[in-house]
Amino acid sequence: MRALFGLMFSCALVACSDSPKTLNDISKTIDDINWQLKPKYNGEVPNNQSVNSYRVAITGNSHVAGLGAEINKVITQLTPQKQTVSETIGSGFLDDSIRSSSATQALENGNWTHLILQGQKYSQSRTTTYSTTAAEKWIANAKELNVMPILFPEHPQRGDTTEAQYVYGLHSDIVAKQASCLAPVGLVWDSVLQLMPNLRLHASDGNHAAPLGKYLTALVFAEVITGQRVDSVILTPVNGVRADEQLLMAQVVSEVIYQLPPCPFSASSPN
């Protein structure tokens, strides 16, 4: 088997075709092979909930647009004494952003405390399985830098009552391979919509989040990032929801997170 792999690898790099490979061809082939290699180590998740200031990096597709600013606002209400900065360092699906040198270098050089990872490909028809190697690599890279990784399984499309659980399960499988925090965004959305079905969480396309939906997602991440219950403070009023509804949203967030602890911290991790 080793000899066969060596022959295949040699063919990929140099010959076994009529046209010789250039150095660029060889480099691209090596890169393609490296992208398929899973991380060698599965380290512990660093607990950065109690740091003196929060620096949150985000990578993802259109579902993370504007999310950082909303997270900053909520964290400021939870911990007004701490400075919070959020920045999007990568775009697209995770298997795109992991190949971006600018994104990976931004992670290495940004002195971040947290990394939100959105954009794991999944099949809406549940019939196709996609690789999770990119997500695992992002998580492993973050932990090596003492950055607390948080997977973002996005909210379900409007009217789909099974998608949130499916996407959460898919990301749980990633956590089983490479330890990470897992924000129960879709499950919170499901619970809130069961209690308050008239809330406008979705945008008109039925896929992306409306401003109120983005706020709900920010509540989830603010609690995961800080470890502080979002229903423990008086939140600044937001448009599109009554004060009692806003309180109920926060209570749902904190209850779901209590029932499904997002982070597999070790017993020795600081609180």
Side-chain angles (χ1 to χ4, degrees), residues 42-58:
N42 182 10
E44 293 183 354
V45 176
N47 185 347
N48 293 338
Q49 293 178 327
S50 300
V51 294
N52 293 328
S53 61
Y54 298 109
R55 289 184 53 79
V56 183
I58 303 171

Side-chain angles (χ1 to χ4, degrees), residues 62-63 124 155-160 163 189 200-211 214:
S62 55
H63 286 290
Q124 293 179 347
H155 61 265
Q157 296 181 91
R158 183 167 50 216
D160 192 329
E163 186 176 9
W189 275 54
R200 188 171 179 268
L201 300 184
H202 289 90
S204 58
D205 64 3
N207 179 22
H208 292 87
K214 197 176 297 292

Side-chain angles (χ1 to χ4, degrees), residues 151-200:
L151 285 172
F152 177 180
E154 56 262 27
H155 61 265
Q157 296 181 91
R158 183 167 50 216
D160 192 329
T161 58
T162 62
E163 186 176 9
Q165 188 63 59
Y166 171 75
V167 177
Y168 182 82
L170 185 154
H171 286 75
S172 296
D173 290 343
I174 297 173
V175 173
K177 301 171 187 174
Q178 187 66 225
S180 173
C181 296
L182 174 58
V185 173
L187 302 184
V188 166
W189 275 54
D190 276 357
S191 297
V192 167
L193 288 172
Q194 287 175 5
L195 294 171
M196 297 175 284
N198 293 326
L199 289 186
R200 188 171 179 268

Side-chain angles (χ1 to χ4, degrees), residues 39 45 50 109 117 138 141 150 189 196-197 210 217 219 233 255:
V45 176
S50 300
N109 301 328
L117 297 164
W138 269 118
N141 291 348
I150 309 172
W189 275 54
M196 297 175 284
T217 297
L219 289 178
V233 299
E255 180 60 24

Side-chain angles (χ1 to χ4, degrees), residues 24 30 32 44 50 67 78 125 129 200 205 225-226 249:
N24 284 339
I30 293 174
D32 288 341
E44 293 183 354
S50 300
L67 179 61
L78 291 175
S125 65
T129 301
R200 188 171 179 268
D205 64 3
I225 289 168
T226 66
M249 289 169 66

Side-chain angles (χ1 to χ4, degrees), residues 27-263:
S27 177
K28 183 178 185 302
T29 300
I30 293 174
D31 284 345
D32 288 341
I33 293 172
N34 285 336
W35 296 130
Q36 300 305 315
L37 298 177
K38 292 182 179 293
K40 294 181 179 180
Y41 305 108
N42 182 10
E44 293 183 354
V45 176
N47 185 347
N48 293 338
Q49 293 178 327
S50 300
V51 294
N52 293 328
S53 61
Y54 298 109
R55 289 184 53 79
V56 183
I58 303 171
T59 182
N61 55 35
S62 55
H63 286 290
V64 302
L67 179 61
E70 289 299 319
I71 292 173
N72 292 350
K73 293 176 186 177
V74 178
I75 291 181
T76 298
Q77 295 169 54
L78 291 175
T79 59
Q81 75 279 11
K82 296 184 179 183
Q83 182 182 15
T84 304
V85 174
S86 298
E87 181 180 326
T88 300
I89 64 170
S91 61
F93 292 106
L94 294 179
D95 55 4
D96 296 320
S97 58
I98 194 64
R99 298 173 184 246
S100 166
S101 58
S102 62
T104 55
Q105 288 172 9
L107 176 65
E108 294 172 2
N109 301 328
N111 194 29
W112 308 105
T113 58
H114 299 75
L115 173 64
I116 294 174
L117 297 164
Q118 186 274 332
Q120 168 60 45
K121 290 180 180 176
Y122 69 94
S123 171
Q124 293 179 347
S125 65
R126 324 291 202 264
T127 59
T128 303
T129 301
Y130 291 96
S131 170
T132 61
T133 299
E136 295 169 49
K137 283 180 176 290
W138 269 118
I139 294 168
N141 291 348
K143 292 188 293 186
E144 287 182 5
L145 296 166
N146 200 39
V147 177
M148 180 174 145
I150 309 172
L151 285 172
F152 177 180
E154 56 262 27
H155 61 265
Q157 296 181 91
R158 183 167 50 216
D160 192 329
T161 58
T162 62
E163 186 176 9
Q165 188 63 59
Y166 171 75
V167 177
Y168 182 82
L170 185 154
H171 286 75
S172 296
D173 290 343
I174 297 173
V175 173
K177 301 171 187 174
Q178 187 66 225
S180 173
C181 296
L182 174 58
V185 173
L187 302 184
V188 166
W189 275 54
D190 276 357
S191 297
V192 167
L193 288 172
Q194 287 175 5
L195 294 171
M196 297 175 284
N198 293 326
L199 289 186
R200 188 171 179 268
L201 300 184
H202 289 90
S204 58
D205 64 3
N207 179 22
H208 292 87
L212 186 60
K214 197 176 297 292
Y215 172 74
L216 177 59
T217 297
L219 289 178
V220 177
F221 280 107
E223 182 158 331
V224 175
I225 289 168
T226 66
Q228 298 194 41
R229 293 179 64 103
V230 292
D231 66 349
S232 66
V233 299
I234 298 176
L235 296 167
T236 302
V238 294
N239 293 328
V241 63
R242 301 192 310 267
D244 60 321
E245 293 172 328
Q246 183 183 13
L247 175 59
L248 184 55
M249 289 169 66
Q251 290 172 335
V252 169
V253 169
S254 293
E255 180 60 24
V256 171
I257 288 178
Y258 175 76
Q259 295 294 335
L260 296 170
C263 300

